[in-house]
Amino acid sequence: MSEVQLREEPPGGDAGRFLRSAFWSEVSEIADLPADEDGAPPGDLVDLVPPRGAFVVAVRGDEPLGCVGVRELADSSVEVKRLYVSGAARGLGVGRRLLTWCEDWARSRGAARLVLDTHGALTAARGLYGSAGFVEVEPYNDNPHAQLWFAKALTSGDR
């Protein structure tokens, strides 16, 4: 895992575009979902950028392994978006490192909690969220593609 690096990049950069496209390709097989012009989820190029958002990629050398985005919400929450780990990197702890990065980013902005939504068929993702301390909550948004909503309180003693 030590050779895997996390680096903040624009979601429209080469690694971000590649990983978001791979994410959307996998998720689109589960549900009929629209993509933006680069074959990735719509909205990322606006929502996952500073100053109210960020996007990070996990790489090993030049190989993109995973990504995640975050964006601040109006209610002092930070939403986790586009968490993806490539098949070659699954089981290496990349997903956990990306979630930890999200927590650190949210805490640095004074957020009270992390939230995310997901599709029920993404069982590995749901397992990761549960093991990271997320609990299922009532819907916090009207995402028509989401089936489950999760939250994690961000307090000094939750790690």
Side-chain angles (χ1 to χ4, degrees):
M1 251 327 268
S2 62
E3 71 268 5
V4 175
Q5 302 296 315
L6 301 184
R7 64 180 188 226
E8 223 172 300
E9 301 196 344
D14 290 343
R17 208 171 38 251
F18 172 79
L19 290 163
R20 288 173 36 256
S21 231
F23 163 85
W24 208 239
S25 177
E26 283 190 29
V27 172
S28 292
E29 290 181 21
I30 296 166
D32 183 25
L33 304 174
D36 68 12
E37 61 278 355
D38 66 357
D44 292 358
L45 302 180
V46 174
D47 292 336
L48 306 181
V49 297
R52 295 183 42 92
F55 189 79
V56 69
V57 297
V59 295
R60 181 173 41 210
D62 291 333
E63 179 186 14
L65 301 175
C67 64
V68 71
V70 287
R71 66 181 181 155
E72 294 176 329
L73 301 180
D75 69 353
S76 296
S77 296
V78 166
E79 185 176 32
V80 176
K81 301 296 290 179
R82 314 303 177 229
L83 178 62
Y84 173 75
V85 177
S86 71
R90 291 182 186 156
L92 300 178
V94 173
R96 175 78 61 184
R97 280 190 62 193
L98 290 168
L99 275 180
T100 298
W101 179 89
C102 293
E103 289 182 32
D104 293 343
W105 190 91
R107 280 191 182 95
S108 76
R109 280 146 184 81
R113 69 183 187 149
L114 280 177
V115 296
L116 60 89
D117 61 38
T118 191
H119 194 281
L122 300 175
T123 56
R126 289 182 12 234
L128 173 63
Y129 304 144
S131 71
F134 284 81
V135 296
E136 194 169 344
V137 295
E138 292 297 316
Y140 65 87
N141 65 22
D142 60 356
N143 180 351
H145 308 296
Q147 296 177 333
L148 300 166
W149 291 260
F150 292 91
K152 179 177 181 176
L154 298 177
T155 61
S156 59
D158 67 345
R159 276 202 205 209

